[in-house]
Amino acid sequence: MRGDGALERLGREGRIVVVGASLAGLRAAEALRDEGFAGSLTVIGDEPHEPYDRPPLSKQVLLGRASAGRTALPRLRAVDATWRLGVAASGLDMAAGLVRLADGDEVPYDRLLIATGVRARPWPQEAEAELDGVFVLRTSDDSAALARRLDAGPERVLVIGAGFTGSEIASACRERGLPVTVAERGAAPLVGALGGVVGAVAADMQREGGVDLRCGVMVTALEGDASGRVRAARLSDGSTVETDVVVVSLGATRNTEWLAGSGLGAGPRGIACDAGCRAFDIRGIVTDDIYAAGDVARCPHPLFGYQFLALEHWGNAVAQARIAAHNMLSESAERVPHMEVPSFWSAQFGVNIKSVGVPSMATEILITQGSLESRRFVGVYGYQGRVIGAVSFDHGRWLPFYQELIETTAPFPPPFATVDRRPGGQRPVDADFPDPSVPTHGPTVTLSGYSPADRRTTFTPAH
Amino acid sequence: MPLERTDPVVRIAVDLNRCQGYAQCAFLAPDVFAMHGEEALLYVPEADEEQREQLARAVAACPVQAILVDAVDVPAEAVSGAR
Ligand SMILES: Cc1cc2nc3c(=O)[nH]c(=O)nc-3n(C[C@H](O)[C@H](O)[C@H](O)COP(=O)(O)OP(=O)(O)OC[C@H]3O[C@@H](n4cnc5c(N)ncnc54)[C@H](O)[C@@H]3O)c2cc1C
Ligand code: SF4
């Protein structure tokens, strides 16, 4: 291809198709134009809305400080795209180079970016999931429906699953004065993402915030009344919670079904791609015209043993969108890898939680600043003698320092004696992550092994 | 439907990975940004026309340039296949 003008032609008059019109899709479209792409750009999205931002949906919107329909993403530049909204991509023909749409249309491409993200995992019992008052939270429509119900002043809200989203929902409800029960199968909230040491702090925050927090239990059934409204939930410890609003926060499922049978290396764990966001086919051969970005992608990360990482993080979607856009239009020598250190934030119970690296890979944790008791601290995560991640509770300004330790593969425990000296010494302790074979709710980072053709699922729902 | 808007608004997103909670924005554009607890930032994702000026001041003052706002107007772009 080199030197034969194909890339120049692509840049001038090629056809680029983006499937998924959300954060990664929009940012990629903008980046393609930034890179000088002058050809035709089509963005396909199954939601009827223009690209919008999701983090406010479990925060500002549920607090009543913004409305769900008004979190559209800012446009950082004009993209001059054809938007095909409200229609899903239903198939991919790799040989012919075209995307099939649910309305029967076909859209040919020279380069394809897949950014179809994830969707909320529904309550597994279908009839129970359909009861009035049972919600999930992923889309702006979900958020609008839940916010409306919260406005009506329910008797009690039951949140199933205390990952980040579930915990943020519980926090917003408490702030509005609503009675809340949280049921979590793990030993503590956030335990899958941050481990038991930090999870215990999250549990204290919830209880002090007035949440009726039940850990180590599963919801076994939801019960409705004659009119089909949810009334109660049965728990595995034999207890019953009377509730009229249930929010199912059991993590997410990757939107890859539409690629089944296409020959692309896509499955329930996401779309396997190389560090440059190029997707693998099921034979483990990297394609040169299909890219993936955002929540749906899983890429090997050099800093984390080249494990394929699937990250459900805002920053990851933005970064991968740019990488994919650049690489699509570049010669192989000019391609760049996605090397960003994973990072995310969450705000709940008045505390700002931030994290860098991959805490869930760690075995040990060391509190290097502040204290767990004060809920203002930095915890550093260690794995095989290396700093692998860090988390801060109301100590976010320090994270860039720890990010550098991760980037430079600094030894764990870190070389500095203390950052702020406290009695009690500085000893790493077991980070207390749950057995990885037992699924927790919403870890947001998934280490998904090495095989691009892997189609196994790991999640087995309760029951 | 969704791509048509009648009221002029400025869309806002804050890269909260970057945000260091310095609160300059909350000081300069209190109608749009507010601190929530010690360090967390809450903002209104769409500001009204009359907040445009204070918003611009906040964007410029953020020491880590974490505040993203519309650089172009709501797209007058082709939409097809929708509904
Ligand atoms: C409530 C909530 C709170 C969050 N809070 C935080 C936070 O505090 N911090 C943080 O770092 N991250 C947070 N996130 C995660 C962050 O929003 C995601 O990482 C981000 O949205 C990923 O963007 P994406 O474009 O990859 O995928 P998505 O936003 O999931 O978008 C994918 C789009 O593709 C569409 N699609 C799917 N299948 C098809 C198809 N076949 N054809 C056409 N279109 C299709 C989907 O409908 C969707 O519109 C939060 C997410 C949620 C839901
Ligand atoms: S000025 Fe910037 S860094 Fe400070 S709180 Fe606002 S967004 Fe965050």
Side-chain angles (χ1 to χ4, degrees), chain A residues 19-25 44-47 52-59 87-90 115-119 137-139 165 168 255 258 293-296 311-315 317 343-347, chain B residues 16-17:
Chain A
V19 182
S22 182
L23 181 60
I44 299 160
D46 61 359
E47 294 187 74
Y52 61 85
D53 211 18
R54 295 178 204 274
L57 300 181
S58 54
K59 305 175 184 78
V87 58
S90 56
T116 46
V118 303
R119 63 181 181 277
L137 181 51
R138 177 77 200 173
T139 67
T165 304
E168 288 177 5
N255 290 319
W258 67 282
D295 284 9
V296 78
L311 300 161
E312 293 173 45
H313 296 167
W314 192 94
S343 51
F344 74 87
W345 76 88
S346 168
Chain B
L16 290 167
N17 288 321

Side-chain angles (χ1 to χ4, degrees), chain A residues 44-102:
Chain A
I44 299 160
D46 61 359
E47 294 187 74
H49 313 291
E50 64 173 310
Y52 61 85
D53 211 18
R54 295 178 204 274
L57 300 181
S58 54
K59 305 175 184 78
Q60 292 95 312
V61 171
L62 297 188
L63 286 168
R65 305 224 191 159
S67 57
R70 301 194 61 176
T71 73
L73 282 161
R75 299 302 181 90
L76 306 183
R77 58 159 298 138
V79 292
D80 185 25
T82 301
W83 295 85
R84 307 278 315 244
L85 300 178
V87 58
S90 56
L92 168 66
D93 186 334
M94 289 170 64
L98 53 85
V99 173
R100 274 189 288 275
L101 302 190

Side-chain angles (χ1 to χ4, degrees), chain A residues 118-134:
Chain A
V118 303
R119 63 181 181 277
R121 186 175 283 121
W123 182 245
Q125 257 62 45
E126 223 173 286
E128 295 174 11
E130 271 161 26
L131 288 170
D132 182 27
V134 178

Side-chain angles (χ1 to χ4, degrees), chain B residues 8-10 47-57 73:
Chain B
V9 290
V10 190
D48 295 330
E49 189 58 36
E50 57 268 26
Q51 290 156 350
R52 207 180 267 265
E53 212 169 297
Q54 48 165 293
L55 179 61
R57 257 180 273 137
D73 274 341

Side-chain angles (χ1 to χ4, degrees), chain A residues 304 311 313 341-344 355-360 388-390 403 406 445:
Chain A
F304 304 99
L311 300 161
H313 296 167
V341 174
S343 51
F344 74 87
S355 158
V356 291
V358 184
S360 57
I388 199 94
Q403 177 166 333
I406 299 166
V445 179

Side-chain angles (χ1 to χ4, degrees), chain A residues 289-432:
Chain A
D289 53 351
I290 304 179
Y291 290 71
D295 284 9
V296 78
R298 60 191 189 99
C299 296
H301 202 304
L303 277 176
F304 304 99
Y306 291 94
Q307 286 242 32
F308 279 79
L309 292 185
L311 300 161
E312 293 173 45
H313 296 167
W314 192 94
N316 178 65
V318 171
Q320 283 187 328
R322 262 190 234 121
I323 301 273
H326 172 84
N327 289 348
M328 261 186 199
L329 299 170
S330 300
E331 299 282 7
S332 61
E334 276 139 35
R335 294 198 180 122
V336 289
H338 175 55
M339 292 263 278
E340 270 212 0
V341 174
S343 51
F344 74 87
W345 76 88
S346 168
Q348 46 185 277
F349 301 98
V351 173
N352 196 36
I353 302 177
K354 293 180 106 171
S355 158
V356 291
V358 184
S360 57
M361 216 172 152
T363 49
E364 292 174 288
I365 186 170
L366 174 67
I367 305 304
T368 50
Q369 292 177 254
S371 69
L372 295 172
E373 300 73 47
S374 68
R375 282 170 214 160
R376 302 183 73 248
F377 64 91
V378 176
V380 178
Y381 291 88
Y383 174 68
Q384 295 185 343
R386 264 190 57 198
V387 174
I388 199 94
V391 64
S392 67
F393 276 45
D394 278 349
H395 257 56
R397 283 165 215 179
W398 288 89
L399 279 194
F401 169 70
Y402 293 94
Q403 177 166 333
E404 205 176 306
L405 294 184
I406 299 166
E407 281 166 344
T408 54
T409 66
F412 182 90
F416 49 88
T418 50
V419 174
D420 48 19
R421 281 180 192 283
R422 284 174 296 119
Q426 300 287 321
R427 276 181 313 274
V429 296
D430 187 338
D432 192 21

Side-chain angles (χ1 to χ4, degrees), chain A residues 182-255:
Chain A
V182 172
E184 162 60 42
R185 164 159 48 185
L190 313 183
V191 70
L194 299 174
V197 173
V198 175
V201 180
D204 283 346
M205 275 161 40
Q206 294 214 1
R207 293 207 166 100
E208 208 165 281
V211 172
D212 165 31
L213 174 67
R214 323 248 187 124
C215 294
V217 298
M218 288 182 291
V219 174
T220 53
L222 301 177
E223 289 171 3
D225 60 16
S227 61
R229 284 203 62 153
V230 70
R231 280 289 164 237
R234 289 196 183 283
L235 273 50
S236 56
D237 61 3
S239 61
T240 299
V241 176
E242 290 191 16
T243 176
D244 45 356
V245 172
V246 174
V247 192
V248 179
S249 290
L250 294 174
T253 307
R254 297 188 152 69
N255 290 319

